[in-house]
Amino acid sequence: MRARHKPWAEDFLREQTQYVELNPTAQKGNWRAQFSKNQPIHLEIGSGKGQFIIGMAKQFPNINFIAMELVKSILVSAVQKAVESQPDNIRFINYDAKDLSELFADHEVERIYLNFSDPWPKNKHAKRRLTYHTFLQQYQQILKDDGDIVFKTDNQGLFEYSITSFSQFGMILEEVNLDLHELNDPTNVMTEYEQKFAAKGQPIFRCRARFPKK
Ligand code: SAH
């Protein structure tokens, strides 16, 4: 995602304490208490400009959503959308997913969403893919035993890599869809990337995978 330089991003995020968690590691094990209602937590990693998480928060008021984004100037757009629509079940964090287990206690999260994650097409960069096994290890640690990962992408190479990575890790693929929009699923909330690729007629891939019970 293109990040326009926004020198004011840091100050803006600092002011939005209604939505932005400025010291996220301090909330480890205590995330549920950061929301007005004590209910399950769904985490989106790489939330971009936030259309998905805001749409999901509206559609599922009984879930608390956490949107994690690495790039401040991109996170700003998502927080601005929240300030406009005022959901009470979203928190935003500026954080790198590689350090996820410093942020959540074991089993603190019910579901993880990965939407249009950076594909890192070169093999030498495989470690950076959010579905590489070192990431899966952390996801398993923070997810509830029956928690799952929902993954959407337009990128066939990343999709093939990811379902292979899930299955090599012993995960159970509960859904694999090679053309999501053909389903006309009324509950599907499109991300910014999804909208762009779908408008060009590209198929969108989705899968849902669960870790085996320990
Ligand atoms: N989900 C959005 C954006 C997809 S682009 C959409 O579908 O429209 C991928 C996003 O993931 C970018 O905004 C990028 O900054 C973010 N990202 C990449 N690596 C990350 C990491 N390690 N931790 C958190 N966010 C990351």
Side-chain angles (χ1 to χ4, degrees):
M1 178 162 288
R2 200 173 335 124
R4 253 196 295 149
H5 183 58
K6 295 177 187 162
W8 46 270
E10 176 121 30
D11 288 344
F12 172 83
L13 293 174
R14 218 180 279 284
E15 283 161 15
Q16 305 305 321
T17 49
Q18 183 194 357
Y19 286 114
V20 182
E21 183 52 61
L22 295 171
N23 189 6
T25 47
Q27 307 310 337
K28 183 173 179 172
N30 199 31
W31 278 102
R32 279 193 182 213
Q34 304 312 310
F35 292 87
S36 54
K37 285 181 251 159
N38 183 348
Q39 48 192 17
I41 290 177
H42 290 186
L43 166 70
E44 185 189 17
I45 300 177
S47 48
K49 295 185 179 171
Q51 178 170 294
F52 175 80
I53 207 83
I54 305 254
M56 292 295 281
K58 265 189 221 146
Q59 192 175 155
F60 299 102
N62 299 332
I63 302 290
N64 289 333
F65 290 92
I66 298 177
M68 176 186 293
E69 170 55 52
L70 182 62
V71 179
K72 283 195 183 77
S73 56
I74 297 175
L75 183 61
V76 159
S77 305
V79 175
Q80 282 170 330
K81 287 193 181 85
V83 170
E84 275 161 30
S85 63
Q86 290 288 308
D88 68 353
N89 55 338
I90 309 187
R91 304 286 292 160
F92 294 89
I93 51 184
N94 175 221
Y95 203 77
D96 189 332
K98 75 176 170 41
D99 301 320
L100 207 53
S101 43
E102 288 171 22
L103 204 64
F104 295 102
D106 291 1
H107 315 308
E108 199 170 6
V109 175
E110 267 80 1
R111 170 172 281 182
I112 292 174
Y113 287 102
L114 300 173
N115 291 318
F116 299 82
S117 308
D118 296 335
W120 296 109
K122 291 188 182 142
N123 277 338
K124 66 174 180 187
H125 292 144
K127 286 192 181 87
R128 300 182 189 176
R129 296 175 192 150
L130 292 181
T131 49
Y132 189 68
H133 66 84
T134 52
F135 284 102
L136 300 185
Q137 257 155 15
Q138 296 201 71
Y139 302 157
Q140 181 173 36
Q141 198 180 327
I142 69 166
L143 276 172
K144 284 231 145 46
D145 276 350
D146 58 351
D148 54 12
I149 299 176
V150 182
F151 173 57
K152 286 198 278 195
T153 183
D154 64 302
N155 189 297
Q156 189 175 343
L158 181 67
F159 194 70
E160 287 169 358
Y161 169 85
S162 300
I163 52 178
T164 307
S165 180
F166 292 151
S167 82
Q168 280 174 350
F169 202 86
M171 295 180 76
I172 299 145
L173 291 168
E174 297 197 315
E175 179 212 309
V176 176
N177 195 303
L178 301 180
D179 193 352
L180 175 61
H181 291 186
E182 205 162 64
L183 271 184
N184 280 327
D185 174 358
T187 65
N188 181 49
V189 175
M190 283 208 252
T191 79
E192 280 88 355
Y193 270 46
E194 183 171 356
Q195 222 161 11
K196 203 171 78 183
F197 293 124
K200 288 187 196 161
Q202 283 177 236
I204 304 299
F205 306 101
R206 182 174 73 185
C207 76
R208 187 160 56 83
R210 193 164 50 69
F211 290 99
K213 289 220 167 67
K214 281 192 195 141

